[in-house]
Amino acid sequence: GTGSSILSALQDLFWLSKSKVEKQLQIISVLQWVLTFLVMGVACTLILMYILCTDCWAIAALYLAWLVFDWNTPKKGGRRSQWVRNWAIWRYFRDYFPIRLVKTHNLLTTRNYIFGYHPHGIMGLGAFCNFSTEATGVGQKFPGIRPYLATLAGNFRMPILRDYLMSGGICPVNRDSIDYILSKNGSGNAIIIVVGGAAESLNCTPGKNSVTLKNRKGFVRLALRHGADLVPVYSFGENEVYKQVIFEEGSWGRWVQKKFQKHIGFAPCIFHGRGLFSSNTWGLLPYSKPITTVVGEPITIPKICNPTQKEVDFYHSMYVDSLIKLFDKYKSKFGLPETEVLEVN
């Protein structure tokens, strides 16, 4: 009896230790992505400039030569790597929150798609994990569909960062890149566009479900030009993982944010999550809050090379209605009250 008790105690200790190790691996996996998002581009640029001034300048020169030769690759579908998309680190990333992908309808491989992802949140963590990695099984849930997460084109001017992003199937959110994927890359492509962009990120805060969509119609026009079906996607919990200082309209803080957004493409936010060693301190790590991304029913879009504004407005209205219905159908399943209303700005 004593031996069995000791063995049981040792097993309990082993599993406790394993649990702690897994938690630390989850924290490390999320931290590396946060640092990638915030500083990798600038850091790699500075390191490359430094190497040019050392005895190892030839290495930097060779990379720069390759960069010039490879400059247009991001605009032509990029260079995805299934090996990178299947890294174990992304599974730890998924389990930290956790993040879950919910499929509601099948997608035909004979069609192309534009997914509208809502809301942006601070870093679009759900969009990255679900569509730029295989951690939540997007390839198994939508067989034959190639997802491309679209992000700021400026990221692809940064050395090393551009290659890292492309390996996950991330592409620039510009017309050249989207036109290529939807017209010269066959069928079965799905471009994920975070429609609200930087403007939406300025208003994200825990407990708030709002999207910037009323005047965002460019993605609908692109869908019509290519005959790509529109798919509404809502990520419950995306706004819960960081707390942000919200500047009121007309304040100096909001003026600075809008200037950055207009001239650089992103809006600087003052935000915080939890600390590295304790959830009770402030830091850059997001809070461990569940994120559930629901992919809705595709809206069949006809191919119209030169759509009129009336046609764009019609399909945009269909998309907004479909997104609201998706939100209302699933809100109670993921912790929101039945009275919660999706605010469309």
Side-chain angles (χ1 to χ4, degrees), residues 42-60:
V42 174
C44 287
T45 302
L46 294 175
I47 291 171
L48 194 67
M49 292 172 63
Y50 171 76
I51 293 174
L52 280 171
C53 300
T54 68
D55 293 338
C56 298
W57 64 269
I59 297 174

Side-chain angles (χ1 to χ4, degrees), residues 232-275:
V233 179
Y234 197 84
S235 210
F236 294 90
E238 185 72 62
N239 285 345
E240 307 300 316
V241 296
Y242 279 111
K243 295 179 181 179
Q244 180 184 186
V245 177
I246 304 293
F247 293 102
E248 297 294 330
E249 289 292 339
S251 66
W252 67 270
R254 183 52 65 98
W255 179 84
V256 170
Q257 288 176 323
K258 287 187 173 181
K259 286 296 181 181
F260 266 83
Q261 178 189 337
K262 180 179 179 180
H263 298 292
I264 301 179
F266 73 92
C269 303
I270 300 177
F271 65 93
H272 74 84
R274 53 156 290 183

